[in-house]
Amino acid sequence: MTFIDCHRDGPVLRITLNRPHVLNAVTEGVLDDLAELITEAGDDPDVRVLVLSGTGRAFSSGADLTVGDFSSPAGTIEAANRVVRAIRAVPRPVVAAVHGPAAGVGCSIALACDLVLTSTSAFFQLAFVNVGLMPDGGATLLVPANIGRARAMSLALLGERLPATTAAQWGLVYRVVEPEQLRPALDELTTRLSRAAPLALTETKHAVNAATLGDLEDSLARELTGQSALLESADFHTAVTAFAEKRTPDFVGR
């Protein structure tokens, strides 16, 4: 787990993506490790709260598109789905602390958390369309479940950045604070959660997720089918080449 830092802070388990040189872009291996850590935390009665964050300037810029790290894109999607399932299933509240970009599947993972605390310097972006792909990691359900179809469509179809302040106004995240207040606000939040009745939190999380994310498995299946087809398209391969060459892709629609 070279690229993930994990340590206990009393009843709080802090899990931090640690690939700052690529803005915490994730690979299949990193996602598998992350899912395992989250699942294991659910078996530890001394862990009351989980916190997900990223080192450096970003929460996560999404899947790593660099040559070699994205050799098994379908496997990366399935690994991301395991992370989302683990966040949903773990019987503890999971807090995303977002201080910078949360893009692509990094956005999906952040929004899968039970509470998203973010600084004003952060932004969210469903950047998939920019590389000829569709949202995955449950984003096709997680985003409209929070902000409705119209706004979800605008994010998914346009691939534009959504500033944290607007995300809070839209109801996509729990709270936004100034950058210097993020850690104090996070400590206050985790303290409150760690002192609350754990069984009540577990049942509440389960009930709210069942009511709002009951179609998650269907959404993940649809995303996997659609994304697998798109990964074979000329447009995606054009986008990967353009990404490596730091230029705008020229999509042809096939």
Side-chain angles (χ1 to χ4, degrees), residues 154-247:
S154 71
L155 293 178
L157 296 181
L158 300 177
E160 296 175 342
R161 296 181 178 186
L162 181 70
T165 50
T166 306
Q169 292 168 1
W170 285 8
L172 190 64
V173 302
Y174 155 65
R175 184 184 176 194
V176 60
V177 297
E178 294 300 322
E180 65 274 12
Q181 291 300 314
L182 184 61
R183 183 55 189 258
L186 178 62
D187 289 344
E188 178 187 6
L189 177 60
T190 55
T191 296
R192 289 182 62 184
L193 290 170
S194 65
R195 291 176 177 173
L199 295 180
L201 293 182
T202 298
E203 293 302 326
T204 299
K205 172 176 176 171
H206 174 75
V208 172
N209 280 339
T212 58
L213 302 178
D215 293 333
L216 181 61
E217 286 302 322
D218 288 341
S219 296
L220 294 176
R222 282 192 296 269
E223 291 171 356
L224 181 59
T225 298
Q227 199 75 298
S228 295
L230 291 171
L231 288 164
E232 298 297 324
S233 69
D235 277 350
F236 172 67
H237 292 285
T238 295
V240 172
T241 301
F243 179 84
E245 297 175 354
K246 301 185 186 307
R247 59 177 175 81

Side-chain angles (χ1 to χ4, degrees), residues 107-182:
C107 180
S108 302
I109 290 170
L111 298 181
C113 295
D114 303 307
L115 294 169
V116 183
L117 179 65
T118 180
S119 80
T120 54
S121 60
F123 66 82
F124 299 84
Q125 185 177 22
L126 296 180
F128 301 90
V129 70
N130 298 335
V131 291
L133 298 177
M134 63 177 285
D136 58 28
T140 58
L141 175 64
L142 294 166
V143 177
N146 285 323
I147 62 175
R149 178 179 178 274
R151 284 171 169 167
M153 278 292 192
S154 71
L155 293 178
L157 296 181
L158 300 177
E160 296 175 342
R161 296 181 178 186
L162 181 70
T165 50
T166 306
Q169 292 168 1
W170 285 8
L172 190 64
V173 302
Y174 155 65
R175 184 184 176 194
V176 60
V177 297
E178 294 300 322
E180 65 274 12
Q181 291 300 314
L182 184 61

Side-chain angles (χ1 to χ4, degrees), residues 76-100:
T76 302
I77 297 169
E78 292 170 345
N81 290 349
R82 287 191 286 274
V83 172
V84 171
R85 290 188 182 103
I87 292 171
R88 182 174 185 246
V90 69
R92 309 284 186 272
V94 183
V95 178
V98 182
H99 68 289

Side-chain angles (χ1 to χ4, degrees), residues 17-18 20 23-24 54-59 99:
L17 297 173
N18 188 19
L23 297 179
N24 297 319
T55 58
R57 296 188 292 114
F59 178 82
H99 68 289

